[in-house]
Amino acid sequence: MFVNYHIKRLMGYIIYLAAIGFLIIKVEQLNRYYQNIYSYNFQPPYLWILFVMIGFPALVGSLLALPQLVKTARQDGAWKVDWLRLVVLSLPGLLFVLTYIICILLPQLTLLVTAVSNILGYHQALAKVAGILWGFVLLNSLYKQPEIN
């Protein structure tokens, strides 16, 4: 029984890893497809850009935190939020992501657009890392506190 449990757990992690890897590969293929379309018609697909730069990294971060959330959900107790972790770790990433959205929606804010463009020009992975961090911390800030009888 002990070995059977570890084999099930190992298979679960392998399937989990394969699903995340498959998802990342498919989104990157779709991203290359949209980049090719953009290179021909020069009309950026803004919703796709938002998804690739913000939504997808947040989804990956959430998927990385999912095993811990499932483990926590199986415990007894009331759900609580670790607000300190949530604010300190995820707020900077969320603010960066929101700033990026504002730059796309309101290009009239030239100073903000210039600053964000310079940051993203030199550090393109920063928005993706901020999204992954935000998605991971968002789910990891949830915990169960045992009820005191």
Side-chain angles (χ1 to χ4, degrees):
M1 173 137 173
F2 182 72
V3 174
N4 192 20
Y5 168 74
H6 286 296
I7 291 175
K8 281 184 181 179
R9 196 168 151 219
L10 174 67
M11 292 305 293
Y13 281 127
I14 290 173
I15 291 170
Y16 168 75
L17 183 64
I20 289 176
F22 178 78
L23 183 65
I24 290 171
I25 289 170
K26 286 299 175 187
V27 168
E28 285 299 319
Q29 287 174 345
L30 200 55
N31 189 31
R32 276 189 239 114
Y33 171 74
Y34 277 117
Q35 285 176 348
N36 287 337
I37 289 175
Y38 172 67
S39 69
Y40 290 118
N41 66 11
F42 299 108
Q43 294 178 353
Y46 289 116
L47 289 176
W48 177 252
I49 291 170
L50 287 176
F51 175 72
V52 168
M53 293 298 289
I54 298 159
F56 184 67
L59 177 65
V60 169
S62 298
L63 288 174
L64 291 174
L66 195 60
Q68 182 64 33
L69 184 69
V70 169
K71 184 178 176 183
T72 302
R74 291 180 178 165
Q75 297 173 353
D76 292 330
W79 284 100
K80 300 289 182 182
V81 177
D82 186 352
W83 289 105
L84 184 64
R85 178 187 300 168
L86 189 63
V87 170
V88 171
L89 293 178
S90 70
L91 190 61
L94 180 62
L95 289 177
F96 185 81
V97 165
L98 290 177
T99 305
Y100 187 73
I101 292 172
I102 290 170
C103 287
I104 290 176
L105 297 178
L106 300 171
Q108 300 86 1
L109 302 174
T110 55
L111 183 62
L112 182 64
V113 171
T114 303
V116 171
S117 296
N118 286 335
I119 291 171
L120 287 177
Y122 291 113
H123 308 287
Q124 294 176 356
L126 190 59
K128 291 181 180 180
V129 170
I132 290 171
L133 178 67
W134 183 66
F136 183 80
V137 171
L138 189 66
L139 287 186
N140 238 5
S141 295
L142 300 172
Y143 68 96
K144 282 194 173 180
Q145 184 172 6
E147 296 177 3
I148 301 172
N149 293 326

